[in-house]
Amino acid sequence: MAKQQTKQQGDIWSSLLRIDRRIIFVFIFVALVVPFLIPSLTVPVEVQRPAQDLFDAVAALPEGSEVIVSFDYGPSTIPELSPMAIALARHCFSRDIRIYATAFYMEGPAIGEALLRQVAEEYGKEEHVDFVNLGFKPGGPPAVIMGLASSVSQVFPTDKNNTPLEDIPAMQYFQKLTDIELCISLSASTYPEAWAGYAWARVGVPCGGGVTAVMAADFYAFLDTGQLVGCLMGMKGAAEYEQLLVDNEIDLDAHGDATRAMPPQSMAHLVIIVFVAIGNVAMYMSGRTGSRAGGKRRKSGGR
Amino acid sequence: MRKQVPFLIATIMGLAMVVQFFVPAHGLVEMQAIVLLYGRIIGAFALILGIVSLIRVNWVRVKRKSENWPYALITIIGFIIMFLAGGFGGFFIEPEAPAGEAEAVAAADEAAAWDFDFGAGIDQERNPVFGWLFNYVFVPMDATIFALLAFYVASAAYRAMRARDLTAGLLLGAAVIVMLGRASLASFWWDQLLSSRIDIIPTLGEITEWLMVYPNTAAKRGVYFGVGLAALGQAIRILVGLERPYMAGTSD
Amino acid sequence: MEMTTAELIGIWVAAALTFCALSFLYKDNPFYQVAESLFVGVSAGYGAAFVLHQVIYQDVIIPLSVSVQVVSEEPSALLQVANRILPCILGLMILARFFPSIGWISRWPLAFIIGYGTGFNVMFIIQTFLLPQIYGMVKPLVEVADPTVTTPDVVMIGNVPLMATISNLVLFVGVLAVIAYFFFSKPHTGAYGKFTKFGVWMLMLGFGATYGNTVMARMSLLIGRIQFLLDDWIQGAMGINLPG
């Protein structure tokens, strides 16, 4: 009788291990939707060093200086990177810093266009005067960044929408890369490395980054060496920058999509951790602790 | 012609770029600018190669009425509509007068000097058809297909993240700490319950940052040295012709 | 905010496409296939339009038309013309890959791109990965705190902040151990084996951190879609007010 009961329990744990993936999908979906519907669920965002450093770098720029914001991402990573771009644009425009947008992703200029125009409207800024969307060029980082180092008009004879550079007032302040005070690459890939490797190492222009969380771990080594002045890591990084804008009274309405996304993000993480815990407990209880590669199975069930 | 010329082109171009770095003489810098211009234009043709081959494959599927050919047709129709809207929509947009009067005159002169003007074809606001297709077809599809990964990564975490031994446990532990530390809610609870009461206990955010700044950087830096040296070796092999990636995919 | 009819239709279309893509979670189905095929076509069309504008028009047609007009007065403009036509010829040579008999012609432009890219890459690797990362390691391990400037460590031994020093040691020894682990010419046994084991731990912590971040990234992408469905579709297009 007792033996049968133990066996039954083992079966329960085993069946937990074989749970249909669609059940997990439902839990994740609910964890992400429900927090949006609970308005009181807000949490303070703890600002980490990399975001603080990037904020400080932008804050230290003299008013009226020039920065490059490179939209090195496509629509798939808009939720992570566009909130960063919006927060950065707010910070720059609030300090009359001109933004020159470039891109290594073909979709980047279209994303940047809508976003910069929207933020510019908030701050009464004008396209071609306070920001320029130069667009995309193929050929990779050396062709574009090193090209900019010798002359902007060689790489971008017009802006994205075919306006000749001579007709763009803001371009008188940006003739070559050395006119720029800071390059910030918002990237779904390793482009901040390229900016650090060409713009910083070869031309001497400081670089910062904003990367998807997938890439975040790769860039700490670059922060440690000073190759990047600061970096926003994933949606949390964007939320941190939004928090910094509010804390420093630059824009009290800066809490945007990233901050709103923090409670659902937290919930989803907690759900996943609970599932991981269940998976591990079930593994021990059902006695399947052997490693997959070796196929060894220890008989430790019934603990 | 078929083997030696490509090798010579690659080697000469590569060495020229290295020499230009060490000897940034005026002539060499200008040469580099021209090489980069060539690179950008040739790069565009490489993109065209990809696009043409995609359309060609789909066209063949439609022509042969092979399995699921209607989907191939949808791809081709999507391509044509988007290309026409973006590529040539500018011809139907009135040019915008620049801000200042003098600039407007100059721009008008310049416009007259060009035989035709592609205009603001890829400006989302001024070419609403292109903007609409981008914002309501391209963006949601691309974003959602990638968002599907959220479900699969959760499912994978459940199935694969098992603390079978010490190393797997370290991996699991680091992942859990990062997931908790990056989640504002968990950090907030931790801080309320522990860090704010007991001085010696750091915040969850601090623990995560420590993990990222020290052990993670150690791992990544070690890997970077390996990757860097390997990539350097690979680059030298290409420059001396031991490796010829440009020969791939073509026969003599 | 008032919505135009085009925006309204757009949001409904976007929502429908979002659900088509999400339907893949249940299983592969024709709705997903249609949406995916449309996406592939539209993205290729978008790319083609961008190349046409940002390269063919801006980098070839405009400069050529300007140079050709002045070439009779300024012979130097001929060089400008050549500098636009030559890369186009090289570029067209890439397309020879479509015809197997003359496919070898495409090697020339590819050799050009790969050649100069490799040349740049040599310096890039040295300046980005090797030298700065070595430089990042060559610094004092034991930090001596200046009480007037820095905030004290949790545990201080005299003037030495203990945690900061241990952390520096973890980083320094960790890098060496990871490198040792990837050095396969010496068998990983004895003391050396234990040292490489420490490298494995560092790697595992690094991979774990990356995995945790990956989970976060993927959730963020889905959150973006949920925000679209809740804000733009349900609240915007349908006009239903949700709490929050």
Side-chain angles (χ1 to χ4, degrees), chain C residues 20-171:
Chain C
C20 284
L22 286 176
S23 70
F24 185 77
L25 289 172
Y26 185 67
K27 63 178 188 187
D28 200 357
N29 63 76
F31 291 107
Y32 176 78
Q33 293 283 341
V34 167
E36 193 193 31
S37 310
L38 184 66
F39 162 65
V40 171
V42 166
S43 93
Y46 174 92
F50 249 75
V51 169
L52 183 68
H53 276 262
Q54 291 236 269
V55 187
I56 308 295
Y57 180 59
Q58 294 175 7
D59 287 344
V60 181
I61 296 178
I62 297 178
L64 265 184
S65 70
V66 173
S67 304
V68 166
Q69 276 167 14
V70 298
V71 82
S72 55
E73 293 148 33
E74 281 178 58
S76 65
L78 208 58
L79 189 69
Q80 301 292 329
V81 174
N83 275 341
R84 304 290 164 165
I85 291 180
L86 248 166
C88 284
I89 295 172
L90 280 167
L92 285 171
M93 284 162 77
I94 290 190
L95 303 183
R97 290 179 93 80
F98 287 124
F99 312 100
S101 58
I102 54 162
W104 61 270
I105 296 180
S106 68
R107 292 173 191 168
W108 291 22
L110 285 180
F112 184 93
I113 296 185
I114 291 172
Y116 92 78
T118 306
F120 269 108
N121 219 15
V122 169
M123 301 320 298
F124 175 74
I125 293 160
I126 295 172
Q127 286 189 306
T128 312
F129 291 109
L130 299 181
L131 293 183
Q133 297 302 326
I134 293 172
Y135 188 72
M137 286 183 74
V138 188
K139 51 190 180 189
L141 294 175
V142 179
E143 287 181 14
V144 180
D146 177 355
T148 59
V149 184
T150 48
T151 43
D153 204 296
V154 180
V155 188
M156 299 286 287
I157 297 176
N159 255 358
V160 176
L162 187 68
M163 269 313 285
T165 305
I166 291 174
S167 303
N168 288 342
L169 269 171
V170 166
L171 178 56

Side-chain angles (χ1 to χ4, degrees), chain A residues 16 110 160 162 218 224 269, chain B residues 119 122 124 158 163 179 221 224:
Chain A
L16 257 180
K160 164 181 171 269
N162 299 327
D218 290 359
D224 180 52
H269 287 195
Chain B
I122 48 175
Q124 293 173 75
Y158 177 64
M179 276 193 260
R221 187 165 280 165
Y224 282 154

Side-chain angles (χ1 to χ4, degrees), chain A residues 202, chain B residues 6-22 31 35 235 238-240, chain C residues 111-123:
Chain A
R202 290 188 74 157
Chain B
F7 159 63
L8 282 175
I9 293 175
T11 303
I12 292 170
M13 295 317 304
L15 290 178
M17 293 304 116
V18 178
V19 170
Q20 189 278 334
F21 178 86
F22 289 106
M31 175 217 55
V35 168
I238 292 173
L239 290 185
V240 298
Chain C
F112 184 93
I113 296 185
I114 291 172
Y116 92 78
T118 306
F120 269 108
N121 219 15
V122 169
M123 301 320 298

